[in-house]
Amino acid sequence: MKATWGVYVHLPWCKRRCPYCAFYIEADHGPPWRRFLDAVGRDWQARRALFPLDAPRTVSLGGGTPSRLPPEHLAELLTPLRDGQTVECSAEVNPEDALEWVPAAVAAGVDRVSLGVQTFHPRHARLLNRTCSAPRALQVARAISEMGVRTWSVDLMFALPGQTIDELDHDLDRVLALEAPHVSLYGLTWEDGTPLARARDLGRLVAPPDDLWREMYDRCVVRLESAGLYRYEVSNFARPGHESAHNLLYWTGAPYLGLGPSAHGFAPDGGRWRDVADVDAWMAGAPPEIERPDPEDAAKDLLVGGLRGRDGLRAADLPERFGFAPDPALVRRLVAARLLADDPDRLRLGADGWPVADAVVRALAEGLRVSARARPSC
Amino acid sequence: MSAENVRNFAIIAHIDHGKSTLADRILERTGAVEARDMRQQLLDSMDIERERGITIKAQTASIKYVARDGKTYTLNLIDTPGHVDFTYEVSRSLSACEGAILVVDAAQGVEAQTLANVYLAIEADLEVVPVINKIDLPSANPEEVRRQIEDLVGLDASDAVLCSAKTGVGIDDLLEAIVARVPAPKGDLNAPLRALIVDSWFDNYVGVVCLVRVVDGALAIGDRVKLMAADRVYEVNRLGRFTPASVELKQLVAGDVGFVIASIKTIRDARVGDTMTLNRAPALTALPGFREVKPMVYSGIYPVDSTDYEPLRDALEKLRLNDSAISSDPESSDALGLGYRVGFLGKLHMEVVQERLEREFNLDLVTTAPSVVYRVDKRDGTQVEIRSPSQLPPLQEVEAIREPYARLTLHCPEQYIGVLFKLLEERRGAQVGFEYSSPGRVVITYDVPYAEVVYDFFDRLKSVSRGYASMDYEVREWRVSDLVKVDILLNGEMVDALSMLCHRDAAYHRGNDLTRRLKEHIPRQMWDVAIQAAIGSRVIARSTVKAYRKDVTAKCYGGDISRKRKLLDRQKEGKKRMKSVGSVEIPQEAFLAVLRVGQED
């Protein structure tokens, strides 16, 4: 099999923290870019040998706000990581930085950008600490198409506190008007410890009820799909050929090499690691936390990631690679309830499975049993 | 030492009124236990007792006390359990005593649970010494409590002892009061041996240990003793007394309280209330009051994980070694798999046993709603006993169903008569007697279906009477009742463990109530769950738990995968007490929802 793997770099600095964000970030007071890049290089050298000789298929810059990285450092960061075999080099971009940053990024090899718009509605945008107005977003979107990126994406959030279906429809209108070839659609997640979750716990904000969430999700799916953006993952929609190649690696259980504070990695030998969520400690060489999932946990990991994608996972992978298989009676029940698709070869979500994908994963993971067809992995 | 200098006494107290602390203080004051060795609340040795504040197994201590008159006395403190399920055990403990200390909290005053035991003590002809405890509390009001003891209990409280078990104030006065007011035992040293078994338990090293009160005669190592009710003979290997540490002796004589070890293999042969006598010179009559204790309430106990069936069997066997009131028979349920039908004295006993199984044996269990023992007259003229609704024979074979009726005796201050009558009528009760026991206090006698008593009657009684009513009961007869079996179906599959027997007039109401309660207890699942109540094939009530509308995390990228897997494991842990029946997961609480049917929320 052609060795397929990706690289993720976590650039932790942001101008300010968004109130819903639970990622590891640092406030941008002039980051020590030199030391940061040296540390990225150090870990890249140390970890590269764990992965196949072939260059990574994808490189992804996330954060934090990768577009805080001064353009003059981009080439230094990216050049060692990628080569001609790399099919995608993507970066998350703050719309405010885009006009200036994206051309430099393209020059350094970035061919896909995702714009963190989230919402166009002024009140909700304020709550989320987002300041990109609709005209500005349209301007950025038009510009991006002409800046030479291969493809691009827009992030949109729904199920915001107090949001109505009409307001969501307006957001969808505007997103569709951008004619983005890819949309990431996220129901707002109230992560523990974020200012948003605290406001909810204090009773200042109210999360929408599940029924409204469902109505909104279903509405988004219908509208995006009728605009030609098909759902290839629970939260991701694309025109054919514009899927995120990097994220697909996560959803197919492929290995990835993480770099930067709080970055996760998954080695081809099954080991997982997480670098310390502290940029100073990380730059000083603090070792990552390492985990070696046993075969049952590895099988669950494959379910967790694999079921989210449109193609699901190969049913035979679980017994062949890990020696576990889901309970056939449970699978039959899930198929009958249209939570799983009626597909003997693949475990994949059925028509009603997407909005409750976690419940399906949970049921399958709990129903895993040692399989008679177990074969050692090769 | 002659019996003249012996005092046998029990302590009667409401939970939290300081019985255990007071016992500790007495032991400490008499030097039986060094202060530094004191475990808190020494006499309540089991963890569960400690947490629930209920003494389940009676324990005892013999202590030496040099009184102000210069003489040395042996004070035998006999501990008593404190709940209505254990009335019989309490009565046996009390009958081993000549006196009892009634402990009342100086701030809380007299409470109901105490009263039942005080009446048992008075009936057993014990000298009751009132003690007002916790006088160190700022809210203490000893004069008011003194008045309550006189009005509510009917005891002369003019010379009640005032003390604080916490600070130690008044403990000497209490010990003097015991010496002065509790009579010495009156047994005849020269009469044939009669020793009352007050308690017995199984010890892994020595077998059964009997705690006895020697009423007449004497008992020595090597004696062959006969247990009169069990009609078996054993040789005494060891005997002695607890101080509370065990001290071995050569003999026990009339008036003494101590332990006897006689190679008895099972506590079923050394039942509480039995009389021990000498085989070579037996007493003509046993001591009065022995009663065979029979389980009155049955409940199914099932392991959540079917591989725990054998550990459950072993655990029940171990518990039975120490608790002759538990019975257990294998049972299988379509819904719950293999388990046991376990018999208990009452609901508290059931809760205690379940908790011990889970805690001491680390088992995850599903317990079904308790059922009383019904008797079914069959058309072929035979009668069968059924211990769960699912044992009911096919209806075409049933002539009549009889349910047990209990005669309840309730003591209460007269202002609560109204609420008590209302409660008793709700429970299908019929009044049998009513009289004033003293001015302002009444004794009410009612016949009530026992099924209406076992579940929560005692709790309701306490709540409607603000704790002032006390209760005793005895199951006397089985009467024909118009009972029907209401079954529960989840997505079309009958869950036998949720079936209930109830009076026909109440069936619709209860069926509705149960489906509604189940809807509250069964969490949303991946598919709709239809809940139906049916009599035979006729559906009488239904409700639906709708499927999840949303159960998905928005983002799942590199770092989220192992995080989500760990979350799965935590969620699984949280679901441990769920039982899968067909396609439906049912939490433990749902099986108990049957209990609350017909009650207000």
Side-chain angles (χ1 to χ4, degrees), chain B residues 125 178 183 264 294 319 344 407 416 423 444 496 586:
Chain B
D125 218 12
I178 293 169
I264 302 173
K294 276 192 191 149
L319 285 187
F344 309 96
R407 178 152 294 177
Y416 297 109
L423 175 65
I444 305 170
D496 52 4
I586 312 175

Side-chain angles (χ1 to χ4, degrees), chain B residues 51-173:
Chain B
E51 284 181 24
R52 299 176 75 108
I54 313 161
T55 308
I56 300 147
K57 272 280 164 198
Q59 295 186 0
T60 191
S62 297
I63 48 199
K64 297 282 181 217
Y65 173 65
V66 183
R68 287 179 192 147
D69 63 9
K71 292 184 197 157
T72 302
Y73 291 85
T74 298
L75 306 184
N76 291 318
L77 164 57
I78 296 172
D79 203 4
T80 55
H83 189 277
V84 68
D85 284 356
F86 302 101
T87 300
Y88 173 71
E89 290 188 339
V90 175
S91 77
R92 295 306 85 204
S93 300
L94 293 177
S95 71
C97 302
E98 281 74 38
I101 304 173
L102 166 63
V103 184
V104 182
D105 184 306
Q108 306 279 324
V110 173
E111 301 211 29
Q113 261 183 318
T114 328
L115 292 179
N117 288 350
V118 175
Y119 291 124
L120 283 174
I122 293 170
E123 273 167 38
D125 218 12
L126 267 50
E127 178 69 30
V128 179
V129 179
V131 175
I132 299 173
N133 188 26
K134 305 198 188 178
I135 55 163
D136 57 308
L137 290 180
S139 54
N141 188 348
E143 285 319 304
E144 167 60 18
V145 173
R146 204 190 290 272
R147 193 189 59 73
Q148 284 184 7
I149 293 174
E150 298 195 339
D151 291 356
L152 298 175
V153 189
L155 285 174
D156 177 4
S158 57
D159 50 0
V161 179
L162 301 182
C163 76
S164 163
K166 192 169 147 212
T167 63
V169 170
I171 298 298
D172 285 355
D173 295 340

Side-chain angles (χ1 to χ4, degrees), chain B residues 256-454:
Chain B
D256 281 345
V257 174
F259 65 84
V260 175
I261 296 166
S263 308
I264 302 173
K265 295 283 181 291
T266 145
I267 55 163
R268 259 159 276 277
D269 292 334
R271 283 171 294 187
V272 169
D274 201 352
T275 302
M276 209 177 255
T277 189
L278 285 182
N279 193 41
R280 60 182 149 80
L284 289 178
T285 54
L287 294 162
F290 174 76
R291 200 164 86 192
E292 194 159 344
V293 178
K294 276 192 191 149
M296 290 308 300
V297 178
Y298 285 81
S299 151
I301 294 189
Y302 292 85
V304 169
D305 182 343
S306 59
T307 59
D308 275 347
Y309 177 72
E310 287 189 0
L312 172 61
R313 183 194 60 199
D314 297 346
L316 281 168
E317 260 168 35
K318 283 197 185 114
L319 285 187
R320 277 157 52 94
L321 285 176
N322 252 330
D323 187 344
S324 60
I326 305 176
S327 74
S328 68
D329 297 296
E331 179 181 69
S332 78
S333 152
D334 297 336
L336 301 175
L338 290 177
Y340 282 90
R341 195 82 196 154
V342 183
F344 309 96
L345 296 178
K347 192 178 150 216
L348 175 87
H349 187 216
M350 171 180 133
E351 285 169 3
V352 167
V353 168
Q354 188 192 354
E355 209 166 316
R356 289 188 63 187
L357 286 170
E358 297 204 307
R359 195 177 302 189
E360 292 170 30
F361 299 94
N362 199 24
L363 296 166
D364 282 310
L365 302 173
V366 170
T367 309
T368 64
S371 167
V372 299
V373 178
Y374 295 94
R375 290 181 181 166
V376 178
D377 296 339
K378 296 176 70 176
R379 296 208 172 181
D380 62 8
T382 59
Q383 192 182 57
V384 289
E385 278 199 348
I386 63 166
R387 294 166 178 184
S388 79
S390 62
Q391 292 172 352
L392 189 70
L395 284 179
Q396 61 272 19
E397 295 174 23
V398 175
E399 180 70 38
I401 306 173
R402 294 169 184 274
E403 66 174 325
Y405 269 70
R407 178 152 294 177
L408 264 53
T409 309
L410 301 125
H411 294 256
C412 76
E414 63 184 345
Q415 63 263 42
Y416 297 109
I417 295 170
V419 287
L420 247 54
F421 278 169
K422 182 163 175 287
L423 175 65
L424 288 159
E425 296 300 327
E426 277 168 20
R427 301 302 170 105
R428 295 191 281 142
Q431 190 178 331
V432 179
F434 177 88
E435 62 187 61
Y436 278 85
S437 56
S438 60
R441 292 197 55 80
V442 295
V443 182
I444 305 170
T445 318
Y446 250 78
D447 282 349
V448 180
Y450 186 53
E452 304 279 356
V453 178
V454 284

Side-chain angles (χ1 to χ4, degrees), chain A residues 140-160:
Chain A
V140 168
R142 296 232 169 88
I144 276 177
S145 340
E146 282 151 28
M147 283 173 190
V149 292
R150 180 180 53 82
T151 189
W152 59 287
S153 174
V154 173
D155 289 357
L156 180 71
M157 279 194 187
F158 72 99
L160 307 173

